[in-house]
Amino acid sequence: MSELSFEQMFEESSFKRLRTGEAVTGQVIGVKEDEIILSIAGSKSEGIITRSEFTNEPGVDLRTKVQVGDELEAKVLKVNDGEGMAAFKGLKRLKEAFENKEVLKEKVTQVMEKGLVVEVEGTRVFIPASMVSDTYDKDLSKYAGQEIEFVVTEFNPSGRRSRIIGDRKQILLEKKAAMQKELFEKIAVGQTVEGVVKNVTDFGAFIDLGGADGLLHISEMSWGRVENPKKVFKVGDKVKALIKDINGEKIALSLKFPESNPWANAAEKYAVGNVVEGKVARMTDFGAFVELEPGVDALLHVSQISREHVDKPSDVLSVGQVITAKVVDFNEADRKISLSMKALENQEAEEN
């Protein structure tokens, strides 16, 4: 069978006598489950397009694809009383898209282990798994039935190694690069930004800012102590954060807003002589650290726990216990506060 180039087939549109390899236009005059009958323009002949020559989708009912009256383009495979034609409207469309680097949008018709299949005007395009997304997608089933954008990166519709390959990853990367450029042009250290939690690890959370991710380190999640980021954030949470630093493409975020700094008015609240309440946060052999409020810890030395001798804090106190004590030292520069429960006992003894 002799074959014409696509250019020749597209240019030659009307012949009185059909030739093998010729591109023709026809109107659908009949549709069966497995074949289409065309009335060919410029000719008295009729052509038949079988299911296998219309689509690669197995078992498809052609009555769901075309209707009587539709106009189709086809390629003559064999001249034999009008039989033997192949629809290539899809091939023509894909060839144009390939040459023009056009972005196409079609529905995913099949999910395979190694990629996705979309169909353009009855012609299948294969998108390999590595070209589906800009990140690794282990499960492609979520794309079933979805409309996706792609570009045709390989167009070889004939021969033994017939391949029409699509690429979605390229589009996503281009969009991401454009968004990243736009983001970095408008952000600066000290600004407040909004984003969505993309991933949570033991050391922090990655926030999608729309074009780039910012890292919210565990140490920047609160003025207080955070033991486990996964107990504070989950994927999908919306977060408003402060840009602490920008280093190249790395963005460091913080939830320690200056206006909420607990040390801003600590000198007044925790002045020497004030009686305060706090919760025992952790203990050592030499004393207990008491959280007065998130971000403000004070040391209750073992010698200041009681008038009676205490060997170690755990003999008298327990983590989580709320205690009342007197502030005996306040060092704002080093952010250190010292407490004494013994001072309160002495005061009570003097009053009695």
Side-chain angles (χ1 to χ4, degrees):
M1 180 179 72
S2 63
E3 290 189 359
L4 300 177
S5 69
F6 271 97
E7 288 77 8
Q8 289 172 313
M9 287 189 284
F10 295 153
E11 290 172 2
E12 298 177 6
S13 58
S14 61
F15 289 87
K16 291 183 179 179
R17 184 174 181 180
L18 299 180
R19 298 187 305 173
T20 299
E22 180 184 343
V24 297
T25 301
Q27 188 176 51
V28 177
I29 59 174
V31 187
K32 297 180 181 179
E33 182 181 348
D34 58 356
E35 68 177 27
I36 300 167
I37 303 172
L38 285 184
S39 174
I40 301 168
S43 171
K44 295 182 178 180
S45 303
E46 292 180 355
I48 295 175
I49 303 175
T50 63
R51 177 160 50 198
S52 63
E53 295 297 344
F54 183 84
T55 179
N56 289 324
E57 188 177 349
V60 67
D61 187 343
L62 295 181
R63 291 171 296 188
T64 65
K65 297 291 185 180
V66 298
Q67 296 179 340
V68 172
D70 287 351
E71 192 173 87
L72 296 179
E73 291 181 82
K75 172 183 174 182
V76 179
L77 297 180
K78 182 173 64 174
V79 180
N80 180 17
D81 295 330
E83 292 187 0
M85 308 192 73
F88 73 83
K89 185 177 182 182
L91 288 176
K92 179 180 179 182
R93 179 75 183 91
L94 288 168
K95 181 175 185 293
E96 292 172 348
F98 172 68
E99 292 175 343
N100 299 325
K101 296 180 172 57
E102 181 184 349
V103 176
L104 300 175
K105 188 174 184 180
E106 297 291 344
K107 185 180 292 186
V108 174
T109 57
Q110 188 177 359
V111 176
M112 305 172 68
E113 183 180 349
K114 295 184 177 180
L116 306 176
V117 174
V118 295
E119 193 171 298
V120 178
E121 303 284 357
T123 302
R124 283 159 55 105
V125 179
F126 179 64
I127 303 177
S130 61
M131 298 181 184
V132 170
S133 178
D134 59 335
T135 57
Y136 174 66
D137 259 336
K138 184 177 180 180
D139 182 15
L140 298 179
S141 62
K142 63 184 178 183
Y143 294 101
Q146 280 192 26
E147 279 194 339
I148 62 172
E149 291 184 324
F150 62 96
V151 290
V152 180
T153 54
E154 186 175 342
F155 184 77
N156 181 21
S158 58
R160 293 181 61 185
R161 293 182 58 81
S162 174
R163 282 164 61 91
I164 303 177
I165 303 298
D167 187 345
R168 178 173 178 263
K169 178 180 178 179
Q170 182 182 131
I171 297 173
L172 296 178
L173 288 175
E174 289 175 356
K175 287 183 177 180
K176 189 172 183 178
M179 290 174 65
Q180 186 182 67
K181 182 175 182 293
E182 183 181 351
L183 176 69
F184 277 95
E185 286 176 349
K186 66 182 182 181
I187 62 173
V189 173
Q191 284 185 347
T192 298
V193 291
E194 292 187 3
V196 178
V197 176
K198 184 177 181 180
N199 188 26
V200 184
T201 68
D202 292 335
F203 60 84
F206 289 92
I207 314 297
D208 183 357
L209 301 176
D213 293 344
L215 173 61
L216 178 60
H217 193 268
I218 184 173
S219 62
E220 294 295 330
M221 289 183 173
S222 171
W223 285 107
R225 184 179 300 274
V226 175
E227 299 292 342
N228 186 350
K230 294 179 181 179
K231 292 183 178 180
V232 181
F233 297 103
K234 63 180 184 296
V235 174
D237 284 349
K238 292 183 179 179
V239 177
K240 184 179 290 186
L242 185 73
I243 297 180
K244 183 182 180 183
D245 186 40
I246 300 174
N247 185 2
E249 295 184 356
K250 295 181 179 179
I251 304 172
L253 302 175
S254 176
L255 292 182
K256 293 181 177 180
F257 292 95
E259 61 270 22
S260 63
N261 186 347
W263 283 92
N265 58 352
E268 181 181 349
K269 291 174 67 175
Y270 307 115
V272 173
N274 285 3
V275 176
V276 296
E277 277 193 352
K279 184 184 295 184
V280 177
R282 58 195 188 282
M283 287 184 282
T284 67
D285 289 339
F286 61 82
F289 288 93
V290 180
E291 184 184 61
L292 301 179
E293 63 177 289
V296 179
D297 287 353
L299 173 63
L300 175 63
H301 194 271
V302 64
S303 64
Q304 297 298 318
I305 292 176
S306 175
R307 295 174 67 185
E308 298 180 3
H309 176 72
V310 177
D311 284 329
K312 55 181 185 288
S314 58
D315 291 339
V316 180
L317 305 173
S318 58
V319 174
Q321 179 181 345
V322 176
I323 60 104
T324 301
K326 190 173 186 177
V327 178
V328 293
D329 187 52
F330 180 87
N331 185 333
E332 186 170 15
D334 295 332
R335 293 188 172 181
K336 290 182 178 179
I337 302 174
S338 296
L339 303 177
S340 175
M341 294 174 68
K342 184 169 72 173
L344 289 182
E345 291 180 358
N346 291 336
Q347 183 177 322
E348 290 177 3
E350 291 175 3
E351 290 175 353
N352 294 331

